[in-house]
Amino acid sequence: MMKLAAAAIALMASTAIAHAEGELNLYNWGNYTSPEMIKKFEDTYKVKVTITDYDSNDTALAKVRQGGHGFDIVVPSASALPIFISEGLLLESRPDQMENFKNVDPKWVDVPFDPGRHYSVPWQWGTTGIAVDKSVYSGDPNTSAIFLDPPAELVGKVNVVPEMSDVMHMVVTYAGGTPCTGDLTVLKKARDLLVAAKPKWISMDYGTVEKYTKGDLAASVDWNGATFRGRLANPNIVYGYPKEGYPIWMDNAAILKDAKNVENAKLFLNFIMAPENAAMLSSFARYANGITGSEAFMPEDMKTAPEVNIPDSAKAAGYFNLACAPEVQELYTKIWTELQK
């Protein structure tokens, strides 16, 4: 009997150790995950988190489609999430039934890109606009002309983030169309604008924050949080909301269908819906997060930051960035592929 008891204790101990040595593999946008929040999760659940970076929804989708990646969680934008769902790449993990789901802001609950939130939870949301170093160019930053028809001061000093959906929609609205249009006349104009503009750019790069500090860039199509972080390092950086139209987006954490650490992944989704943990994400990356109550835990400077708080004068030009119809997506991809050559 004593031997049986000892064996049972040993089994329990080995099980506890296995849990303590649990893993979670997060596949996320680069420089977008709070180290403080990750440490808190690791300490709370004794789970080791490994983060692998990507620079666009297209990159993430291609990698996940290949399989054999070893990732548990991915963080697609609203424009890409329906593709992940329709292709069966995500686990229907029912975040809407998790304890902390009650903290999700009601406007982010029954969303068109994941109705009822059966697959995903809010990570962060923001806008895509124009960052400009005003010490180089003092003109109006509130226009996509900054990257599509750069003023002389900015030629050869403009970066464009490599996110097709955001950039294509900005070009389409600049060309006089509406997001997700399939109008071939508008798309030809958009294509011609991009082809003519590209020689005037210095790069199509994801990592911009450090480059603003070093003065390597004078302007960029960029996300509001990255621009905010750039301004904190270089006060000359300003953020513009293109008057022709700019995307509003949301990134969402979801569990992959072939995840190996499903229970740890579920713990993580629930964890980031707690206000104080969501605030850690926002405090690091400088975006809003979609979790009610998180504001109380965030830095004071986020409450007034022009990159986070859309000015009333710019609100009408914003549109939420959703997935386009497959036939339109194919046209956009052809233009984007040509641009990469």
Side-chain angles (χ1 to χ4, degrees):
M1 194 72 176
M2 298 249 332
K3 287 183 179 179
L4 284 173
I9 291 171
L11 177 62
M12 290 171 63
S14 67
T15 302
I17 291 171
H19 177 70
E21 295 178 351
E23 297 179 352
L24 181 67
N25 295 296
L26 177 62
Y27 192 35
N28 197 4
W29 300 81
N31 200 14
Y32 196 37
T33 309
S34 163
E36 180 187 13
M37 189 273 290
I38 291 297
K39 186 178 186 307
K40 181 179 178 183
F41 178 80
E42 290 180 324
D43 291 345
T44 301
Y45 294 107
K46 310 305 178 190
V47 170
K48 174 61 180 174
V49 179
T50 300
I51 302 171
T52 303
D53 296 345
Y54 55 82
D55 61 2
S56 72
N57 283 298
D58 292 332
T59 299
L61 186 58
K63 184 71 171 178
V64 171
R65 279 171 171 162
Q66 289 174 2
H69 44 71
F71 306 132
D72 299 308
I73 289 176
V74 69
V75 189
S77 302
S79 58
L81 187 62
I83 301 173
F84 276 85
I85 294 172
S86 66
E87 294 190 11
L89 300 173
L90 300 182
L91 179 72
E92 190 174 7
S93 56
R94 296 309 300 264
D96 59 311
Q97 297 178 0
M98 295 179 181
E99 179 186 359
N100 286 332
F101 190 76
K102 63 182 182 291
N103 298 317
V104 176
D105 187 320
K107 72 180 179 183
W108 296 118
V109 172
D110 197 21
V111 288
F113 50 90
D114 182 10
R117 291 285 185 179
H118 287 196
Y119 293 88
S120 69
V121 305
W123 181 268
Q124 293 184 93
W125 70 272
T127 61
T128 308
I130 305 292
V132 175
D133 187 331
K134 63 184 181 182
S135 70
V136 178
Y137 177 69
S138 59
D140 182 15
N142 297 293
T143 172
S144 289
I146 294 293
F147 78 101
L148 292 172
D149 186 18
E153 301 97 312
L154 296 177
V155 171
K157 302 173 184 178
V158 178
N159 177 69
V160 175
V161 292
E163 174 53 36
M164 179 182 73
S165 180
D166 288 359
V167 177
M168 282 300 300
H169 285 155
M170 292 172 77
V171 180
V172 164
T173 53
Y174 184 82
T178 56
C180 287
T181 182
D183 186 318
L184 295 180
T185 301
V186 171
L187 293 182
K188 183 182 184 305
K189 185 177 180 181
R191 176 259 178 206
D192 292 346
L193 282 165
L194 285 169
V195 170
K198 187 181 179 183
K200 301 175 184 178
W201 306 340
I202 189 172
S203 56
M204 293 183 71
D205 190 20
Y206 174 83
T208 56
V209 177
E210 295 78 11
K211 292 185 178 182
Y212 293 134
T213 308
K214 297 176 182 177
D216 293 343
L217 299 175
S220 181
V221 175
D222 212 341
W223 298 288
N224 60 312
T227 307
F228 186 175
R229 294 166 73 182
R231 174 174 62 80
L232 293 176
N234 178 357
N236 289 317
I237 300 298
V238 296
Y239 185 67
Y241 296 85
K243 57 191 176 186
E244 302 88 6
Y246 62 88
I248 301 169
W249 48 263
M250 170 167 270
D251 293 335
N252 311 270
I255 302 173
L256 289 160
K257 188 71 172 285
D258 51 0
K260 300 294 189 293
N261 303 291
V262 172
E263 293 310 311
N264 289 342
K266 288 181 178 179
L267 286 174
F268 189 81
L269 293 195
N270 188 59
F271 184 81
I272 63 175
M273 289 189 287
E276 61 272 27
N277 300 331
M280 289 183 186
L281 288 177
S282 292
S283 299
F284 175 76
R286 299 294 181 153
Y287 298 97
N289 57 57
I291 301 299
T292 56
S294 64
E295 300 83 1
F297 301 94
M298 291 197 286
E300 282 294 316
D301 60 3
M302 289 193 71
K303 296 178 181 178
T304 57
E307 300 90 350
V308 178
N309 302 279
I310 303 173
D312 289 341
S313 59
K315 287 180 179 177
Y319 52 84
F320 197 80
N321 199 1
L322 293 170
C324 298
E327 60 273 17
V328 173
Q329 190 75 12
E330 185 177 346
L331 292 171
Y332 284 16
T333 300
K334 286 180 178 178
I335 295 172
W336 192 251
T337 301
E338 181 181 355
L339 190 67
Q340 311 306 306
K341 295 177 181 177

PDB file of all heavy atoms in Angstrom, residues 114-129:
ATOM      1  N   ASP A 114     -15.441  38.243 -37.125  1.00  0.00           N
ATOM      2  CA  ASP A 114     -15.533  37.061 -36.261  1.00  0.00           C
ATOM      3  C   ASP A 114     -16.814  37.183 -35.452  1.00  0.00           C
ATOM      4  O   ASP A 114     -16.785  37.482 -34.259  1.00  0.00           O
ATOM      5  CB  ASP A 114     -14.309  36.954 -35.344  1.00  0.00           C
ATOM      6  CG  ASP A 114     -14.334  35.705 -34.453  1.00  0.00           C
ATOM      7  OD1 ASP A 114     -15.198  34.833 -34.677  1.00  0.00           O
ATOM      8  OD2 ASP A 114     -13.491  35.612 -33.530  1.00  0.00           O
ATOM      9  N   PRO A 115     -17.966  36.958 -36.087  1.00  0.00           N
ATOM     10  CA  PRO A 115     -19.253  37.161 -35.426  1.00  0.00           C
ATOM     11  C   PRO A 115     -19.357  36.404 -34.103  1.00  0.00           C
ATOM     12  O   PRO A 115     -19.153  35.190 -34.051  1.00  0.00           O
ATOM     13  CB  PRO A 115     -20.259  36.631 -36.444  1.00  0.00           C
ATOM     14  CG  PRO A 115     -19.574  36.798 -37.767  1.00  0.00           C
ATOM     15  CD  PRO A 115     -18.119  36.514 -37.486  1.00  0.00           C
ATOM     16  N   GLY A 116     -19.646  37.158 -33.029  1.00  0.00           N
ATOM     17  CA  GLY A 116     -19.794  36.547 -31.719  1.00  0.00           C
ATOM     18  C   GLY A 116     -18.493  36.160 -31.055  1.00  0.00           C
ATOM     19  O   GLY A 116     -18.481  35.640 -29.944  1.00  0.00           O
ATOM     20  N   ARG A 117     -17.379  36.374 -31.732  1.00  0.00           N
ATOM     21  CA  ARG A 117     -16.052  36.057 -31.188  1.00  0.00           C
ATOM     22  C   ARG A 117     -15.918  34.579 -30.802  1.00  0.00           C
ATOM     23  O   ARG A 117     -15.606  34.228 -29.666  1.00  0.00           O
ATOM     24  CB  ARG A 117     -15.745  36.936 -29.973  1.00  0.00           C
ATOM     25  CG  ARG A 117     -15.521  38.402 -30.302  1.00  0.00           C
ATOM     26  CD  ARG A 117     -14.166  38.634 -30.936  1.00  0.00           C
ATOM     27  NE  ARG A 117     -13.906  40.070 -31.144  1.00  0.00           N
ATOM     28  CZ  ARG A 117     -12.784  40.549 -31.656  1.00  0.00           C
ATOM     29  NH1 ARG A 117     -11.822  39.734 -32.014  1.00  0.00           N
ATOM     30  NH2 ARG A 117     -12.622  41.845 -31.830  1.00  0.00           N
ATOM     31  N   HIS A 118     -16.117  33.705 -31.780  1.00  0.00           N
ATOM     32  CA  HIS A 118     -15.926  32.275 -31.553  1.00  0.00           C
ATOM     33  C   HIS A 118     -14.467  31.859 -31.715  1.00  0.00           C
ATOM     34  O   HIS A 118     -14.080  30.764 -31.301  1.00  0.00           O
ATOM     35  CB  HIS A 118     -16.793  31.463 -32.510  1.00  0.00           C
ATOM     36  CG  HIS A 118     -18.246  31.498 -32.171  1.00  0.00           C
ATOM     37  ND1 HIS A 118     -19.168  30.605 -32.680  1.00  0.00           N
ATOM     38  CD2 HIS A 118     -18.965  32.332 -31.364  1.00  0.00           C
ATOM     39  CE1 HIS A 118     -20.368  30.880 -32.212  1.00  0.00           C
ATOM     40  NE2 HIS A 118     -20.269  31.929 -31.420  1.00  0.00           N
ATOM     41  N   TYR A 119     -13.662  32.733 -32.345  1.00  0.00           N
ATOM     42  CA  TYR A 119     -12.272  32.368 -32.654  1.00  0.00           C
ATOM     43  C   TYR A 119     -11.219  33.281 -32.027  1.00  0.00           C
ATOM     44  O   TYR A 119     -10.104  32.827 -31.782  1.00  0.00           O
ATOM     45  CB  TYR A 119     -12.047  32.381 -34.173  1.00  0.00           C
ATOM     46  CG  TYR A 119     -12.789  31.310 -34.929  1.00  0.00           C
ATOM     47  CD1 TYR A 119     -14.095  31.543 -35.390  1.00  0.00           C
ATOM     48  CD2 TYR A 119     -12.207  30.077 -35.193  1.00  0.00           C
ATOM     49  CE1 TYR A 119     -14.783  30.563 -36.094  1.00  0.00           C
ATOM     50  CE2 TYR A 119     -12.885  29.094 -35.903  1.00  0.00           C
ATOM     51  CZ  TYR A 119     -14.178  29.345 -36.349  1.00  0.00           C
ATOM     52  OH  TYR A 119     -14.862  28.369 -37.042  1.00  0.00           O
ATOM     53  N   SER A 120     -11.552  34.528 -31.810  1.00  0.00           N
ATOM     54  CA  SER A 120     -10.501  35.497 -31.498  1.00  0.00           C
ATOM     55  C   SER A 120     -10.884  36.462 -30.383  1.00  0.00           C
ATOM     56  O   SER A 120     -12.064  36.632 -30.056  1.00  0.00           O
ATOM     57  CB  SER A 120     -10.159  36.302 -32.755  1.00  0.00           C
ATOM     58  OG  SER A 120     -11.243  37.161 -33.097  1.00  0.00           O
ATOM     59  N   VAL A 121      -9.860  37.091 -29.830  1.00  0.00           N
ATOM     60  CA  VAL A 121     -10.066  38.163 -28.848  1.00  0.00           C
ATOM     61  C   VAL A 121      -9.288  39.393 -29.304  1.00  0.00           C
ATOM     62  O   VAL A 121      -8.302  39.278 -30.031  1.00  0.00           O
ATOM     63  CB  VAL A 121      -9.598  37.743 -27.436  1.00  0.00           C
ATOM     64  CG1 VAL A 121     -10.273  36.446 -27.007  1.00  0.00           C
ATOM     65  CG2 VAL A 121      -8.088  37.593 -27.364  1.00  0.00           C
ATOM     66  N   PRO A 122      -9.713  40.594 -28.899  1.00  0.00           N
ATOM     67  CA  PRO A 122      -8.989  41.800 -29.288  1.00  0.00           C
ATOM     68  C   PRO A 122      -7.549  41.775 -28.771  1.00  0.00           C
ATOM     69  O   PRO A 122      -7.308  41.389 -27.623  1.00  0.00           O
ATOM     70  CB  PRO A 122      -9.786  42.926 -28.624  1.00  0.00           C
ATOM     71  CG  PRO A 122     -11.152  42.356 -28.400  1.00  0.00           C
ATOM     72  CD  PRO A 122     -10.921  40.907 -28.104  1.00  0.00           C
ATOM     73  N   TRP A 123      -6.644  42.159 -29.615  1.00  0.00           N
ATOM     74  CA  TRP A 123      -5.255  42.376 -29.195  1.00  0.00           C
ATOM     75  C   TRP A 123      -5.048  43.880 -29.055  1.00  0.00           C
ATOM     76  O   TRP A 123      -4.960  44.390 -27.960  1.00  0.00           O
ATOM     77  CB  TRP A 123      -4.293  41.763 -30.218  1.00  0.00           C
ATOM     78  CG  TRP A 123      -2.848  41.906 -29.855  1.00  0.00           C
ATOM     79  CD1 TRP A 123      -2.005  42.921 -30.224  1.00  0.00           C
ATOM     80  CD2 TRP A 123      -2.057  41.021 -29.041  1.00  0.00           C
ATOM     81  NE1 TRP A 123      -0.743  42.722 -29.702  1.00  0.00           N
ATOM     82  CE2 TRP A 123      -0.746  41.568 -28.972  1.00  0.00           C
ATOM     83  CE3 TRP A 123      -2.328  39.824 -28.382  1.00  0.00           C
ATOM     84  CZ2 TRP A 123       0.285  40.947 -28.252  1.00  0.00           C
ATOM     85  CZ3 TRP A 123      -1.297  39.205 -27.670  1.00  0.00           C
ATOM     86  CH2 TRP A 123      -0.013  39.776 -27.614  1.00  0.00           C
ATOM     87  N   GLN A 124      -5.027  44.582 -30.183  1.00  0.00           N
ATOM     88  CA  GLN A 124      -4.975  46.041 -30.160  1.00  0.00           C
ATOM     89  C   GLN A 124      -5.596  46.568 -31.448  1.00  0.00           C
ATOM     90  O   GLN A 124      -5.742  45.826 -32.413  1.00  0.00           O
ATOM     91  CB  GLN A 124      -3.528  46.542 -30.026  1.00  0.00           C
ATOM     92  CG  GLN A 124      -2.908  46.199 -28.677  1.00  0.00           C
ATOM     93  CD  GLN A 124      -1.522  46.769 -28.491  1.00  0.00           C
ATOM     94  OE1 GLN A 124      -1.356  47.851 -27.946  1.00  0.00           O
ATOM     95  NE2 GLN A 124      -0.518  46.044 -28.932  1.00  0.00           N
ATOM     96  N   TRP A 125      -5.966  47.848 -31.439  1.00  0.00           N
ATOM     97  CA  TRP A 125      -6.508  48.441 -32.652  1.00  0.00           C
ATOM     98  C   TRP A 125      -5.945  49.846 -32.826  1.00  0.00           C
ATOM     99  O   TRP A 125      -5.486  50.471 -31.880  1.00  0.00           O
ATOM    100  CB  TRP A 125      -8.041  48.466 -32.628  1.00  0.00           C
ATOM    101  CG  TRP A 125      -8.675  49.418 -31.657  1.00  0.00           C
ATOM    102  CD1 TRP A 125      -8.994  49.176 -30.354  1.00  0.00           C
ATOM    103  CD2 TRP A 125      -9.084  50.767 -31.926  1.00  0.00           C
ATOM    104  NE1 TRP A 125      -9.565  50.291 -29.788  1.00  0.00           N
ATOM    105  CE2 TRP A 125      -9.641  51.266 -30.732  1.00  0.00           C
ATOM    106  CE3 TRP A 125      -9.038  51.577 -33.058  1.00  0.00           C
ATOM    107  CZ2 TRP A 125     -10.141  52.567 -30.632  1.00  0.00           C
ATOM    108  CZ3 TRP A 125      -9.536  52.876 -32.970  1.00  0.00           C
ATOM    109  CH2 TRP A 125     -10.080  53.349 -31.749  1.00  0.00           C
ATOM    110  N   GLY A 126      -5.976  50.293 -34.085  1.00  0.00           N
ATOM    111  CA  GLY A 126      -5.428  51.613 -34.348  1.00  0.00           C
ATOM    112  C   GLY A 126      -5.706  52.066 -35.768  1.00  0.00           C
ATOM    113  O   GLY A 126      -6.663  51.623 -36.406  1.00  0.00           O
ATOM    114  N   THR A 127      -4.857  52.934 -36.266  1.00  0.00           N
ATOM    115  CA  THR A 127      -5.011  53.495 -37.604  1.00  0.00           C
ATOM    116  C   THR A 127      -3.701  53.368 -38.374  1.00  0.00           C
ATOM    117  O   THR A 127      -2.633  53.179 -37.785  1.00  0.00           O
ATOM    118  CB  THR A 127      -5.409  54.989 -37.547  1.00  0.00           C
ATOM    119  OG1 THR A 127      -4.379  55.729 -36.870  1.00  0.00           O
ATOM    120  CG2 THR A 127      -6.724  55.173 -36.806  1.00  0.00           C
ATOM    121  N   THR A 128      -3.803  53.489 -39.687  1.00  0.00           N
ATOM    122  CA  THR A 128      -2.619  53.560 -40.541  1.00  0.00           C
ATOM    123  C   THR A 128      -2.617  54.930 -41.202  1.00  0.00           C
ATOM    124  O   THR A 128      -3.601  55.312 -41.840  1.00  0.00           O
ATOM    125  CB  THR A 128      -2.645  52.472 -41.629  1.00  0.00           C
ATOM    126  OG1 THR A 128      -2.873  51.209 -41.011  1.00  0.00           O
ATOM    127  CG2 THR A 128      -1.328  52.436 -42.385  1.00  0.00           C
ATOM    128  N   GLY A 129      -1.536  55.657 -41.003  1.00  0.00           N
ATOM    129  CA  GLY A 129      -1.469  57.012 -41.537  1.00  0.00           C
ATOM    130  C   GLY A 129      -0.077  57.348 -42.007  1.00  0.00           C
ATOM    131  O   GLY A 129       0.655  56.489 -42.503  1.00  0.00           O
TER     132      GLY A 129
END
